[in-house]
């Protein structure tokens, strides 16, 4: 009997290219209990169903067994978790419904759309610097600073202590990784406490300096007499920084890399800028900025003729689902900017937890990708170094000669 394939994100060749691993996972072990104490789901239909389910949870209090990388702090209540357990990512209805309704009042399409000219200006400035130098690390010069600046402008706060904020968000995002290192957990908790204090200071500053921005709108958001508490407000702002920055960096850098590795597709985008919206969706599908999503089963759920029990930690592999040939066809591993069903990727989730900031990511990408390929038609990749993360994966360095 052939031994079942065991998902091993720590394999030597995984960081550089995890997609062959995901392909084996879909075929050989599409729904199985991993030795590290969690369940893994990898096919498109199953991942989408889990995202849309209204009966499963994101609250770790429902767990009957902890994954190997989780400490017993998971059972100590939300106050001991990152962002105090108060972000929308850690809430089920009705708390999630309440928070999302209040945040949505501030995070409007109008507020996001108003940033388009600012995004274009920042991108143009960065491309000028890159052109002048003739060579650049795209992550450092463009993909990293752009979303950080844009989320700060959206919130209406000064870009203060930017280097430290970047360091803290980079540490905090490691909380989404399946890593059990106690020293790292200590660093994550320290970064969480420091960032909470910094954001609390920013909130107090904004109360004295209101403006036409998202943070002011969050402070004043009200629904039927309900408002965000101070700790809740801090948690949602932290979430916007982390989700609105780290994941966007991955998408922008990986998107440029994919275009440079597929010059025929870059040429299509250069010749037809109207393709940009669908191109962004395809690039989000092709190399997903967040590879894994977690749920906790409240009731048993059947996946691929396998029953996952209640109280289980389930990891849905978004990146595997986004290349599932059973849904995408035999060319699922190919980049096709005109792919008609590209917007149906599972990248931003579905159901009540669909990413509230998806429009902000899309606006930056729709502006940046066409401008880059038009400005630098002969750009070539010199070096790529991945960030080493399993979940929030992207290039840490993308050296390009233009």
């Amino acid at each position: 009997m052939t031994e079942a394939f065991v998902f091993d994100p720590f394999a030597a060749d995984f960081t550089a290219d995890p997609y062959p691993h995901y392909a084996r996972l879909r075929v050989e072990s599409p729904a199985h209990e991993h030795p590290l104490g969690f369940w893994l789901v990898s096919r498109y239909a199953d991942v989408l169903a889990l995202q849309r389910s209204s009966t499963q949870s994101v609250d770790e209090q429902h767990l009957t067994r902890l994954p190997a990388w989780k400490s017993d702090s998971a059972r100590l209540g939300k106050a001991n978790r990152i962002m105090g357990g108060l972000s929308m990512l850690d809430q089920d209805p009705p708390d999630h419904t309440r928070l999302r309704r209040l945040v949505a009042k501030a995070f409007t399409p109008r507020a996001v759309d108003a940033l388009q000219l600012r995004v274009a200006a920042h991108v143009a400035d960065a491309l000028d610097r890159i052109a002048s130098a003739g060579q650049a690390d795209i992550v450092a010069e463009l993909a990293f600073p752009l979303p950080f600046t844009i989320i700060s402008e959206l919130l209406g706060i000064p870009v203060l202590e930017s280097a430290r904020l970047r360091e803290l968000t980079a540490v905090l995002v490691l909380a989404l990784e399946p890593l059990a290192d106690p020293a790292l957990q200590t660093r994550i908790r320290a970064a969480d406490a420091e960032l909470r204090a910094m954001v609390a200071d920013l909130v107090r500053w904004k109360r004295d300096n209101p403006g036409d921005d998202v943070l002011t709108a969050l402070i004043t958001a009200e629904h039927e007499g309900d408002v965000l508490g101070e700790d809740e407000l801090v948690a949602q702002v932290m979430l916007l920084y982390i989700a609105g920055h780290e994941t966007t960096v991955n998408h922008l850098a990986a998107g440029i890399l994919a275009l440079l590795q597929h010059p025929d597709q870059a040429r299509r985008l250069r010749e037809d800028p109207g393709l940009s919206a669908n191109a962004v969706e395809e690039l989000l599908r092709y190399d997903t900025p967040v590879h894994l999503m977690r749920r906790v089963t409240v009731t048993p759920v059947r996946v691929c003729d396998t029953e996952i029990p209640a109280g289980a930690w389930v990891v849905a592999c978004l990146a595997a689902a986004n290349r599932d040939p059973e849904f995408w066809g035999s060319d699922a591993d190919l980049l096709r900017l005109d792919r008609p069903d590209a917007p149906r990727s599972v990248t931003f989730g579905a159901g009540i937890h669909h990413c509230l900031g998806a429009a902000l990511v899309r606006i930056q990408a729709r502006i940046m990708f066409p401008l880059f390929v038009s400005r630098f038609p002969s750009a070539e990749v010199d070096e790529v170094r991945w960030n080493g993360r399993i979940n929030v994966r992207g290039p840490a360095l993308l050296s390009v000669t233009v």
Side-chain angles (χ1 to χ4, degrees):
M1 174 182 271
T2 303
E3 188 174 340
F5 175 66
V6 176
F7 177 60
D8 182 10
F10 304 103
D13 58 345
F14 184 89
T15 297
D17 185 7
Y19 291 98
H21 294 255
Y22 296 150
R24 287 195 64 187
L25 189 63
R26 287 190 305 266
V27 172
E28 299 181 35
S29 303
H32 70 283
E33 187 173 16
H34 195 276
L36 290 179
F38 63 93
W39 287 77
L40 199 59
V41 176
S42 55
R43 291 181 179 172
Y44 178 89
D46 302 321
V47 169
L48 184 62
L50 194 63
Q51 289 181 330
R52 288 178 170 172
S53 174
S54 60
T55 61
Q56 308 309 331
S57 176
V58 295
D59 191 340
E60 297 171 11
Q61 294 302 299
H62 294 292
L63 285 170
T64 58
R65 177 187 177 190
L66 291 174
W69 67 85
K70 298 292 291 184
S71 70
D72 284 339
S73 64
R75 301 192 189 280
L76 297 179
K78 292 182 177 179
N80 292 282
R81 300 184 206 162
I82 298 302
M83 295 179 275
L86 293 173
S87 84
M88 287 184 289
L89 286 180
D90 294 315
Q91 302 287 334
D92 292 329
D95 293 330
H96 175 271
T97 307
R98 169 181 167 270
L99 288 173
R100 190 176 179 97
R101 182 187 294 123
L102 288 168
V103 173
K105 285 179 174 290
F107 210 74
T108 62
R110 183 189 67 82
V112 175
D113 288 344
L115 287 171
Q116 290 191 69
L117 291 178
R118 296 296 301 145
V119 172
H122 286 302
V123 171
D125 287 346
L127 297 186
D128 284 345
R129 293 193 301 271
I130 293 169
S132 178
Q135 187 275 341
D137 172 9
I138 298 303
V139 178
E141 292 295 328
L142 183 55
F144 210 108
L146 176 65
F148 184 85
T149 301
I150 293 304
I151 196 67
S152 296
E153 292 185 1
L154 182 71
L155 289 167
I157 61 175
V159 185
L160 302 174
E161 298 290 342
S162 59
R164 186 56 181 158
L165 275 172
R166 290 175 184 176
E167 290 173 4
L168 293 173
T169 57
V171 172
L172 272 184
V173 80
L174 295 176
L176 302 175
E177 299 290 302
L179 302 170
D181 181 1
L184 179 58
Q185 297 298 328
T186 299
R187 285 180 58 211
I188 290 170
R189 287 193 293 271
D192 177 60
E194 185 175 345
L195 187 55
R196 278 202 234 182
M198 291 178 71
V199 172
D201 286 342
L202 288 172
V203 170
R204 284 190 287 271
W205 178 86
K206 178 54 65 175
R207 289 188 188 279
D208 295 331
N209 298 272
D212 183 17
D213 53 64
V214 165
L215 184 49
T216 298
L218 282 171
I219 291 170
T220 59
E222 181 266 344
H223 180 78
E224 297 180 353
D226 185 24
V227 297
L228 288 168
E230 196 73 9
D231 289 342
E232 291 176 326
L233 181 58
V234 168
Q236 307 326 307
V237 174
M238 288 176 67
L239 175 62
L240 290 174
Y241 257 117
I242 296 167
H245 179 233
E246 291 290 334
T247 57
T248 309
V249 173
N250 289 350
H251 173 51
L252 297 180
I256 292 294
L257 175 61
L259 289 168
L260 294 180
Q261 290 176 331
H262 298 81
D264 61 321
Q265 296 300 301
R267 183 173 59 254
R268 293 199 64 176
L269 182 57
R270 188 161 51 248
E271 294 172 352
D272 181 12
L275 189 61
S276 63
N278 202 76
V280 168
E281 301 304 322
E282 172 67 352
L283 288 163
L284 284 164
R285 180 202 72 86
Y286 179 76
D287 202 351
T288 309
V290 176
H291 283 217
L292 309 172
M293 175 203 81
R294 101 303 189 181
R295 290 290 186 271
V296 178
T297 53
V298 177
T299 59
V301 57
R302 182 160 290 276
V303 179
C304 297
D305 296 324
T306 300
E307 183 173 282
I308 301 176
W313 182 287
V314 182
V315 174
C317 189
L318 309 182
N322 276 342
R323 293 204 189 182
D324 184 354
E326 288 190 10
F327 179 80
W328 302 102
S330 59
D331 65 349
D333 281 325
L334 300 181
L335 181 69
R336 278 183 45 205
L337 299 188
D338 63 348
R339 188 181 296 275
D341 49 4
R344 298 181 66 184
S345 79
V346 295
T347 300
F348 288 124
I352 64 170
H353 287 285
H354 181 268
C355 178
L356 196 60
L360 184 60
V361 179
R362 288 182 169 117
I363 281 178
Q364 293 176 77
R366 286 175 187 173
I367 291 171
M368 177 178 145
F369 294 150
L371 287 176
F372 186 92
V373 297
S374 296
R375 183 73 179 270
F376 304 125
S378 302
E380 295 182 351
V381 177
D382 298 324
E383 182 185 0
V384 182
R385 196 162 62 234
W386 296 91
N387 61 18
R389 297 174 191 161
I390 297 162
N391 187 6
V392 189
R393 175 183 179 268
L397 178 142
L398 176 55
S399 179
V400 171
T401 297
V402 299

